[in-house]
Amino acid sequence: MQVKAHILIRFLLRHTYHILVLNSNNNSISLHNKEKNLSFQFNSLLGEIAIERGFVFTTIRIKLFDERVIKFKWVSWKCAKRFSSEFHYLFESWLKDKLTKVDTIVNLVNKDIQKLIEQQRYIKQSEVDSFVQKFELKMKQLDLLPEYIKIYRKEVYEFFEEKMIYDLIDKSNQAWIKKVSNHWDNWFQANHNISLNSSQLKSILVDDDINFVLAGAGSGKTTVLVGKLLYLLENKSYLEDEILCLTFGKDAAKEIQDRLKKRGFAKCKVQTFHSYALSIVNEVENNNRTLTEFISNQTQKRLWLQSKIYKLLENTHIFVKWKRYHSDFKIFGLCKFEKPQDIKSNTTLEYIWSRIMEIHNSDLSKKDIINKTLNNEKVHKEVLLFWPLYKQYLLYLKESAKLDFHTTIVDATKYIKKNKFQNIPKLLMVDEFQDISQIRLNLLMSILNTRKPISLFAVGDDWQSIFNFAGSRVSLMTNFQNLFPRTKLTRLNKTYRYNQFISTVSSKFITKNKNQLKKVTQSNDMNNSKSIFFTKNDNLENILIKLNNSYDKNIQNILFLGRTKKDKPHIISLLKDNLKNLKIKFMTCHESKGQEADYVFITNVDQGKFPLERNLATLNDYLNSESSEVNDEMEERRLFYVAITRAKKKVWVSYQTNPSKFYLELKKISDLKH
């Protein structure tokens, strides 16, 4: 059917559209004149038509979904009414046919969803994605805009387009967890002698594509990680060789391996990031490359560095530059500097080595590093000074075909991205995620971005992120849900290590840091009696003697903690053999991560010592946006929190001459709590 504008209009306004056609064969309307035409499919129309009667002529208005309006003027009232009636009939017939097909598609998809729910298992978001994608593909094939669904099938639109399907599956998953929790709780106890609380069991049973367990100190994260593996293997979700568990240290890897071996699962791959990366490099290169001896042999490293420095300073011009720098800023640990051979102390060599490693680990060009350090003359000149030594180190790695920790992970990541390494796991597990660095995250992302579907299970505690100096970035932990937007988060908030008093006081202390993940910690031991004490270093001997005398043949573990190795109290060596009921050990706070003891003594908590006040700016401060004066203190606070939470029974915090702000702050919290 078509309507035409009045003949006079067609003659006078030749360039105006003067014919409106309703095409029943292809469900469209079109506008025409002698030179061109313009067509609109029903799929782009809102379905509303209005006719406005004028004094002589009538105007037809048809609304589009994009809010535009098709106006066709200068027709008779009779023709306009007939066109409107015919349009309504054709459009409604077309829409009815489309909606009938939509209903058929929805019914089929809903049946598939119901079948999935009836399988009585945890349903992953990626599985739900497939249903949404299937529906969207069908709608695309149907050539029907989502706006039609929104208007005429609102509940369908909300279910698929507004993702209410995910809410339905989430409720189904929660109901399933509640239903099977008792069965799996009994299974763990009967088969593996593992007792789990409700939050631990939930963290195991939640089995989505991206899983993140926020675990407080002493909350049993390793138990949950091992439990997760046992559950998935028992459930036949994965084969042993389809799982990869990555840790940051050999001890953690060994502990997880030992627990799995005891339960008959020796094939699960549990490795440190570095050992896994090295295996990738050697497999791709069909080689047997090894790590540089400098990692384990400090003497060899220093001798090599010393020889390169002496060789470099044979150049008179370079030697003068070094002397000028030392005159202005002092090379750390170096008293006099009159000849190259004066650079020989381990302190100075380690300082220079640390700067070389900061340049190396930055992965930046010389130009970029120089630009980033322009506002600090000392650090800027250090980069220029030590750059030739860095180039010598790169040459050494190349000529010896050796790797270091950094190059191993970088090379492995490169090979995975280029699809040169094919043995990709189906499940990737990461322990202590708070220790993640950018290059380790790049390795993880390269694995997750391969074409295979891969799930991630990570556990960590941002309150215990203490290795910023080694490259870890707490922001990668606190931004986990931004890095992985569809994360399923569970929390382990109950600690089994210490009592409620230590839990409350340590939590109040650590939560003074900003930008942390929220968590509430509660102890399994509700004892609220005072368990943190404050004293001077001079009193420690008497405290130890009293502790020793209060136990009879019941050995108690004593852990002395210091900010640095220099904080080891001399009384340990003096009393160690005389206190038969005490097993005394000293560690730095960093070394104590993952350890525990009956009683903990944190010594030398003096002003300038803990929190440690750094006098030397480092290159890392300028390359890492997280390193600032404020964030240094935040890192120190996390370290102090780690020290406190090593204790199972009691903590003593002591100072030598001038108590630090941490000492006074913790004492105030403790006194108020008591």
Side-chain angles (χ1 to χ4, degrees):
M1 177 190 178
Q2 66 179 25
V3 290
K4 296 181 179 180
H6 190 273
I7 188 170
L8 187 60
I9 298 300
R10 297 201 301 269
F11 178 75
L12 295 175
L13 303 175
R14 294 183 181 182
H15 298 295
T16 301
Y17 291 112
H18 48 72
I19 301 175
L20 175 63
V21 179
L22 179 62
N23 303 298
S24 59
N25 59 333
N26 65 356
N27 298 313
S28 69
I29 60 171
S30 53
L31 297 166
H32 300 263
N33 61 27
K34 288 186 178 181
E35 297 175 356
K36 58 183 178 179
N37 61 72
L38 184 62
S39 181
F40 299 89
Q41 296 294 316
F42 280 4
N43 192 34
S44 65
L45 307 180
L46 194 57
E48 296 181 13
I49 186 170
I51 51 177
E52 298 174 0
R53 192 170 190 175
F55 184 70
V56 178
F57 298 115
T58 299
T59 299
I60 299 173
R61 296 175 182 269
I62 303 172
K63 287 186 178 181
L64 300 173
F65 263 117
D66 59 10
E67 298 184 354
R68 290 182 298 160
V69 176
I70 301 170
K71 291 183 183 179
F72 190 76
K73 301 179 180 180
W74 304 295
V75 297
S76 69
W77 170 252
K78 183 178 179 181
C79 289
K81 282 198 71 175
R82 189 160 58 89
F83 184 90
S84 175
S85 176
E86 188 69 20
F87 172 80
H88 274 301
Y89 174 78
L90 279 178
F91 184 85
E92 287 173 9
S93 298
W94 169 84
L95 183 60
K96 182 180 179 181
D97 177 64
K98 293 290 186 183
L99 292 177
T100 300
K101 291 177 181 177
V102 168
D103 293 338
T104 302
I105 292 167
V106 170
N107 287 335
L108 290 173
V109 174
N110 280 339
K111 284 181 182 178
D112 289 341
I113 293 171
Q114 196 56 42
K115 286 178 184 178
L116 185 65
I117 292 172
E118 288 170 358
Q119 290 180 20
Q120 290 297 302
R121 62 177 179 83
Y122 194 94
I123 301 168
K124 296 182 178 183
Q125 291 186 68
S126 58
E127 296 178 89
V128 185
D129 290 344
S130 66
F131 288 104
V132 174
Q133 290 163 6
K134 181 179 179 181
F135 175 78
E136 290 174 345
L137 178 62
K138 292 288 186 182
M139 290 302 102
K140 191 174 181 180
Q141 292 171 346
L142 203 56
D143 195 22
L144 191 65
L145 291 176
E147 285 82 358
Y148 280 107
I149 310 298
K150 188 174 184 179
I151 294 171
Y152 298 101
R153 292 293 185 270
K154 186 178 179 181
E155 69 284 356
V156 173
Y157 180 87
E158 290 173 345
F159 192 64
F160 288 101
E161 297 295 336
E162 295 185 357
K163 313 305 182 188
M164 285 182 66
I165 182 175
Y166 293 96
D167 295 334
L168 172 71
I169 297 302
D170 189 52
K171 288 176 183 176
S172 172
N173 283 336
Q174 290 178 39
W176 174 81
I177 288 173
K178 187 176 180 180
K179 182 178 179 181
V180 302
S181 287
N182 191 54
H183 163 75
W184 285 106
D185 188 27
N186 292 334
W187 181 85
F188 276 109
Q189 292 190 50
N191 292 278
H192 299 289
N193 196 28
I194 296 176
S195 223
L196 300 167
N197 64 38
S198 58
S199 63
Q200 290 173 330
L201 186 58
K202 181 181 178 181
S203 296
I204 290 170
L205 295 177
V206 169
D207 184 27
D208 224 303
D209 303 289
I210 305 293
N211 308 275
F212 180 36
V213 181
L214 188 58
S219 61
K221 66 171 184 59
T222 305
T223 298
V224 168
L225 195 147
V226 172
K228 182 77 172 183
L229 282 164
L230 296 173
Y231 162 72
L232 293 173
L233 292 169
E234 172 66 20
N235 219 24
K236 294 183 171 46
S237 300
Y238 302 93
L239 300 175
E240 283 186 68
D241 58 4
E242 293 176 334
I243 300 172
L244 170 64
C245 180
L246 293 175
T247 70
F248 290 86
K250 292 180 181 178
D251 291 343
K254 187 176 184 307
E255 181 184 356
I256 295 169
Q257 281 175 330
D258 289 345
R259 291 199 195 187
L260 289 171
K261 282 179 183 177
K262 278 183 183 178
R263 293 167 171 87
F265 298 104
K267 294 180 182 178
C268 279
K269 189 180 289 185
V270 184
Q271 293 181 270
T272 65
F273 274 86
H274 295 121
S275 65
Y276 177 63
L278 184 59
S279 67
I280 291 174
V281 171
N282 282 328
E283 182 175 326
V284 172
E285 296 180 358
N286 194 24
N287 208 331
N288 190 27
R289 293 178 71 184
T290 57
L291 296 173
T292 168
E293 297 85 353
F294 294 171
I295 292 171
S296 57
N297 192 326
Q298 299 302 305
T299 301
Q300 186 176 347
K301 176 188 76 179
R302 289 169 190 148
L303 288 172
W304 177 88
L305 179 59
Q306 199 173 34
S307 69
K308 296 302 176 185
I309 291 172
Y310 292 169
K311 184 74 175 174
L312 181 67
L313 297 185
E314 287 177 1
N315 183 311
T316 306
H317 178 67
I318 294 175
F319 180 62
V320 169
K321 278 188 175 180
W322 278 57
K323 283 201 71 173
R324 189 180 301 125
Y325 172 85
H326 181 66
S327 175
D328 293 339
F329 300 106
K330 301 293 182 188
I331 296 174
F332 187 70
L334 187 60
C335 296
K336 66 172 185 174
F337 185 34
E338 297 173 355
K339 56 185 185 298
Q341 287 70 24
D342 289 335
I343 300 177
K344 58 185 178 182
S345 75
N346 288 345
T347 304
T348 301
L349 290 170
E350 286 298 332
Y351 177 80
I352 295 173
W353 181 261
S354 67
R355 295 300 177 265
I356 294 170
M357 288 300 101
E358 285 179 351
I359 294 172
H360 180 50
N361 295 338
S362 73
D363 272 339
L364 295 174
S365 68
K366 184 178 181 180
K367 182 180 178 181
D368 288 339
I369 294 179
I370 287 173
N371 288 337
K372 283 178 177 286
T373 58
L374 284 173
N375 62 342
N376 187 292
E377 186 182 2
K378 178 182 184 301
V379 176
H380 181 74
K381 286 188 174 180
E382 272 189 350
V383 172
L384 297 174
L385 216 61
F386 301 146
W387 189 269
L389 295 172
Y390 162 59
K391 298 298 286 184
Q392 284 294 313
Y393 177 65
L394 291 184
L395 185 62
Y396 153 77
L397 290 177
K398 183 178 180 180
E399 291 179 346
S400 64
K402 297 287 186 181
L403 293 162
D404 61 15
F405 288 148
H406 182 81
T407 53
T408 304
I409 291 181
V410 169
D411 287 355
T413 304
K414 176 182 66 179
Y415 289 142
I416 292 172
K417 285 182 176 180
K418 291 183 176 180
N419 294 319
K420 292 186 177 182
F421 180 74
Q422 302 298 324
N423 190 18
I424 301 295
K426 290 185 178 179
L427 172 64
L428 184 58
M429 307 183 85
V430 183
D431 188 24
E432 304 281 14
F433 195 88
Q434 75 275 357
D435 294 334
I436 199 80
S437 64
Q438 187 60 57
I439 63 163
R440 291 187 181 99
L441 180 65
N442 293 343
L443 177 63
L444 290 183
M445 289 298 198
S446 69
I447 296 170
L448 294 169
N449 289 335
T450 55
R451 285 167 291 183
K452 297 180 180 180
I454 303 170
S455 294
L456 173 66
F457 179 85
V459 294
D461 179 11
D462 57 313
W463 290 4
Q464 298 187 73
S465 176
I466 60 173
F467 295 110
N468 182 59
F469 68 90
S472 71
R473 298 290 173 261
V474 67
S475 63
L476 300 179
M477 167 80 174
T478 54
N479 289 323
F480 189 96
Q481 288 173 288
N482 292 326
L483 291 168
F484 306 99
R486 304 177 69 190
T487 297
K488 279 295 177 183
L489 173 66
T490 54
R491 289 179 167 87
L492 304 181
N493 292 330
K494 181 173 281 190
T495 180
Y496 293 87
R497 180 178 295 153
Y498 41 81
N499 62 31
Q500 190 58 41
F501 184 91
I502 295 176
S503 177
T504 302
V505 172
S506 61
S507 295
K508 284 185 177 179
F509 177 81
I510 189 62
T511 49
K512 290 184 181 293
N513 272 355
K514 298 177 180 179
N515 304 321
Q516 296 185 128
L517 297 174
K518 291 182 179 179
K519 66 172 81 73
V520 178
T521 59
Q522 184 178 4
S523 175
N524 191 52
D525 177 4
M526 295 306 293
N527 177 14
N528 249 321
S529 59
K530 190 172 178 65
S531 307
I532 302 179
F533 304 92
F534 302 84
T535 187
K536 292 192 71 173
N537 288 352
D538 296 343
N539 300 324
L540 296 179
E541 182 176 345
N542 290 332
I543 295 169
L544 287 171
I545 291 171
K546 285 181 181 179
L547 268 179
N548 182 69
N549 294 339
S550 64
Y551 290 96
D552 184 19
K553 297 180 181 179
N554 186 6
I555 304 298
Q556 297 294 297
N557 291 310
I558 308 293
L559 183 57
F560 271 84
L561 296 177
R563 177 59 183 81
T564 67
K565 291 184 183 294
K566 294 178 182 179
D567 294 315
K568 182 177 181 179
H570 68 279
I571 61 167
I572 293 180
S573 54
L574 294 174
L575 296 174
K576 201 170 185 181
D577 297 330
N578 298 325
L579 305 176
K580 303 297 183 184
N581 296 323
L582 304 181
K583 186 178 178 182
I584 303 175
K585 186 177 183 179
F586 173 81
M587 302 177 104
T588 66
C589 295
H590 284 102
E591 291 170 338
S592 75
K593 181 72 175 64
Q595 304 295 314
E596 62 181 25
D598 297 306
Y599 299 99
V600 167
F601 291 80
I602 310 171
T603 63
N604 285 354
V605 187
D606 285 70
Q607 189 65 35
K609 290 187 174 181
F610 208 163
L612 185 66
E613 293 178 2
R614 292 190 302 130
N615 297 319
L616 296 170
T618 69
L619 175 61
N620 195 43
D621 293 331
Y622 293 90
L623 301 182
N624 170 24
S625 59
E626 292 175 19
S627 289
S628 65
E629 185 177 345
V630 173
N631 286 303
D632 277 348
E633 183 172 306
M634 289 169 67
E635 175 99 352
E636 291 288 304
R637 186 177 291 274
R638 291 192 293 269
L639 185 61
F640 198 65
Y641 169 80
V642 166
I644 298 166
T645 55
R646 299 311 93 193
K648 294 163 71 175
K649 296 178 180 178
K650 292 179 181 179
V651 182
W652 277 269
V653 184
S654 67
Y655 70 96
Q656 184 68 38
T657 55
N658 186 20
S660 74
K661 62 184 292 185
F662 280 3
Y663 179 100
L664 297 173
E665 187 181 315
L666 190 70
K667 188 175 187 302
K668 184 178 179 180
I669 296 171
S670 180
D671 290 345
L672 287 172
K673 171 64 180 169
H674 188 248

